[in-house]
Amino acid sequence: MISPHGGTPDPQSPQGPAQGQGFDAHDPPSPDLISDCVHCGFCLPACPTYALTGEEMNSPRGRIYQMKLIGEGEAPLDAAAVGHFDNCLGCMACVTACPSGVQYDRLIQSVRPQIERNWARTRADRAFRGLIFRLFPYPRRLRPAAVLGALYQRLGVRRLLKRTGVTGRLPARLRALEALMPDVPLRSALRRTPERSPARGPASAPAARRTVGMVTGCVQQVFFAHVNEATVRVLTAEGCDVVAPREQGCCGALSEHAGREEEAVVRAKRLIETFEDLEVDAVVVNVAGCGSALKEYGRLLAGDPEFAERAEWFAAKVRDISELLAELPPLAPRHPVPARLAHHEACHLAHAQGVRRAPREVLSAVPELEVVDIPESDMCCGSAGVYNLVQPESAEELGRRKAANVRSTAPEAVVTANPGCLLQISRHLDSELPVLHPVQVVDASIRGVKPW
């Protein structure tokens, strides 16, 4: 299906490439990795887009088959193929499900830049994607946008537009952008994480168990500053010195996941340079999507003689906040949190990073807290970086499906370790339940306050 607002290229567009064009010679999908796929079909029930459409070419094995044909010159990189690749969320549930160890993550990561180099998107598509990448990776640009968004909501403009039906008449992409707008207090949008936060564990504990560098993120530090604050409080309470360099920029995760490889490389190098002289024991991240990109810096920069070893060194230090807390025996006492929480596993934590046990271990240390899994727990919520903006129809179906599964567990709140998931699930629950990062629950338990 081709939609003028859904991100699928229009084959009639005057900007379209010449028919017959395929992959270029720069890092095309590896034939050896392609040949690992035996087309057994175990990936099919794990794939969100196959679950929605039932189309073979919208499944991992179908996309791998298309990669093979294009790579061998048997098929062009045309509108249909680009549409199927674009429709992939990159959730990597198929990687977890595959019994043959097919590295679909590496295959789709090599295809995305090929599309951006070799397929000319429509003017509207380029403009919308350009808007996203001129805004979201830049906290200094996001802060004024957050202020305008807060005024838009506080002054009743949002309610007025919704009541008069204006919002419903917007193009699908703009409608999704408006619907995902978080309700951010002005003071939160303008706060910044302190550059240095000293350990404040029990008096009997050593001065600092670890020195931890903290990645504050882009969207995270503007729209979810409260999650960063909770992260710092928990780490310092557990006896860690926290260093959050003010000059750090975007990690490049959004760019890499969208195939904008050159942007991702530049941002990765800058972040490595920012942290490499800080003498930290670990680099902690509380965003699943960012964490998966940071841990892959070695692969991203493998061909760069100046940065290859530095990237491997940096990636080896990266820990999701749940991993680091699971490694440290708790120092700070936990107060009871008598609540039933539904746990949504962020795809880039569970599948891309393989981190599944740590969040549960960290939450299990909170007395009286009941954590329940959601049906279809491996199914993506539809956020997937910027997917819910550029493929809004599919994302909306997945969001509604996730919300229904959440409601079926009758929770008092939802926890998930990724800001995109927080926004997506909140939207489709229509804000009927609090949606929190797990570290917020731990922070509330340590402080003896209600998490919401």
Side-chain angles (χ1 to χ4, degrees):
M1 182 173 66
I2 297 174
S3 164
H5 305 296
T8 304
D10 180 357
Q12 304 303 318
S13 168
Q15 292 83 40
Q19 292 300 310
Q21 181 174 337
F23 298 136
D24 61 38
H26 177 61
D27 192 26
S30 164
D32 290 339
L33 296 184
I34 288 173
S35 67
D36 288 339
C37 178
V38 297
H39 302 277
C40 65
F42 277 88
C43 62
L44 299 182
C47 177
T49 50
Y50 183 80
L52 292 181
T53 67
E55 295 179 10
E56 175 69 18
M57 292 306 175
N58 269 328
S59 74
R61 73 176 184 184
R63 294 186 182 104
I64 290 173
Y65 183 63
Q66 290 172 90
M67 294 176 200
K68 180 177 186 294
L69 292 179
I70 296 168
E72 294 175 350
E74 298 295 323
L77 182 65
D78 59 10
V82 171
H84 292 136
F85 294 136
D86 277 354
N87 209 25
C88 173
L89 293 105
C91 69
M92 308 310 170
C94 58
V95 176
T96 301
C98 181
S100 301
V102 175
Q103 297 179 64
Y104 179 82
D105 50 347
R106 289 183 59 187
L107 289 169
I108 194 66
Q109 284 164 356
S110 65
V111 167
R112 301 245 195 247
Q114 292 281 345
I115 292 172
E116 297 310 304
R117 288 194 299 270
N118 299 312
W119 177 262
R121 299 183 181 277
T122 63
R123 291 187 181 93
D125 195 11
R126 291 201 308 273
F128 187 76
R129 289 171 186 264
L131 170 66
I132 290 172
F133 288 98
R134 282 193 295 270
L135 179 62
F136 287 106
Y138 300 96
R140 289 183 180 178
R141 299 176 188 176
L142 273 179
R143 293 187 198 282
V147 171
L148 292 174
L151 293 174
Y152 168 75
Q153 296 177 71
R154 302 292 190 278
L155 296 177
V157 179
R158 182 180 226 176
R159 289 192 302 274
L160 176 64
L161 295 181
K162 191 171 184 178
R163 188 170 62 247
T164 57
V166 173
T167 304
R169 293 194 293 272
L170 291 172
R173 285 179 162 185
L174 293 180
R175 192 166 64 246
L177 185 62
E178 195 279 339
L180 289 163
M181 186 185 302
D183 187 6
V184 182
L186 285 175
R187 63 183 181 278
S188 178
L190 299 175
R191 286 201 296 261
R192 287 175 170 81
T193 305
E195 286 198 84
R196 292 191 173 270
S197 301
R200 56 175 185 83
S204 58
R209 302 163 86 188
R210 301 267 180 102
T211 299
V212 177
M214 180 176 166
V215 176
T216 53
C218 302
V219 172
Q220 187 79 347
Q221 69 171 279
V222 177
F223 294 134
F224 295 96
H226 53 290
V227 176
N228 280 352
E229 291 167 357
T231 301
V232 172
R233 283 194 297 265
V234 170
L235 287 172
T236 55
E238 292 297 351
C240 297
D241 287 338
V242 180
V243 183
R246 182 67 56 85
E247 65 273 20
Q248 65 179 287
C250 174
C251 70
L254 281 181
S255 298
E256 185 185 7
H257 296 158
R260 300 166 75 99
E261 189 175 46
E262 290 183 9
E263 288 179 2
V265 166
V266 169
R267 287 169 177 157
K269 289 179 180 180
R270 287 176 182 167
L271 198 69
I272 291 169
E273 289 173 335
T274 301
F275 278 90
E276 63 185 350
D277 294 329
L278 294 182
E279 297 183 358
V280 296
D281 302 307
V283 175
V284 73
V285 60
N286 56 19
V287 178
C290 296
S292 69
L294 294 170
K295 290 180 178 181
E296 289 290 312
Y297 273 4
R299 175 196 55 78
L300 180 66
L301 299 174
D304 190 307
E306 182 184 355
F307 274 88
E309 289 187 14
R310 295 158 73 183
E312 290 284 1
W313 168 88
F314 179 88
K317 284 184 175 287
V318 175
R319 299 285 187 280
D320 181 76
I321 179 61
S322 65
E323 287 183 287
L324 185 63
L325 293 176
E327 292 172 9
L328 295 172
L331 282 183
R334 268 56 166 173
H335 297 88
V337 177
R340 177 181 172 89
L341 302 186
H343 180 216
H344 166 66
E345 290 191 304
C347 296
H348 277 95
L349 190 61
H351 301 306
Q353 298 184 52
V355 177
R356 309 191 81 148
R357 186 162 43 185
R360 291 176 171 83
E361 288 180 359
V362 170
L363 290 171
S364 69
V366 177
E368 299 183 27
L369 183 68
E370 181 185 6
V371 180
V372 296
D373 289 328
I374 299 169
E376 295 186 324
S377 60
D378 283 344
M379 186 69 67
C380 182
C381 68
S383 173
V386 300
Y387 186 91
N388 52 1
L389 298 178
V390 297
Q391 299 283 352
E393 292 92 350
S394 297
E396 190 162 339
E397 288 188 61
L398 291 169
R400 288 198 298 265
R401 184 169 179 158
K402 181 62 66 174
N405 282 323
V406 168
R407 292 187 185 100
S408 74
T409 66
E412 296 170 64
V414 188
V415 289
T416 186
N418 197 59
C421 302
L422 286 162
L423 292 176
Q424 176 81 345
I425 294 172
S426 293
R427 174 195 174 186
H428 291 285
L429 285 174
D430 200 21
S431 302
E432 64 192 69
L433 291 172
V435 185
L436 311 169
H437 193 289
V439 79
Q440 291 177 269
V441 180
V442 176
D443 174 52
S445 175
I446 290 173
R447 294 194 292 149
V449 299
K450 189 174 176 60
W452 59 86

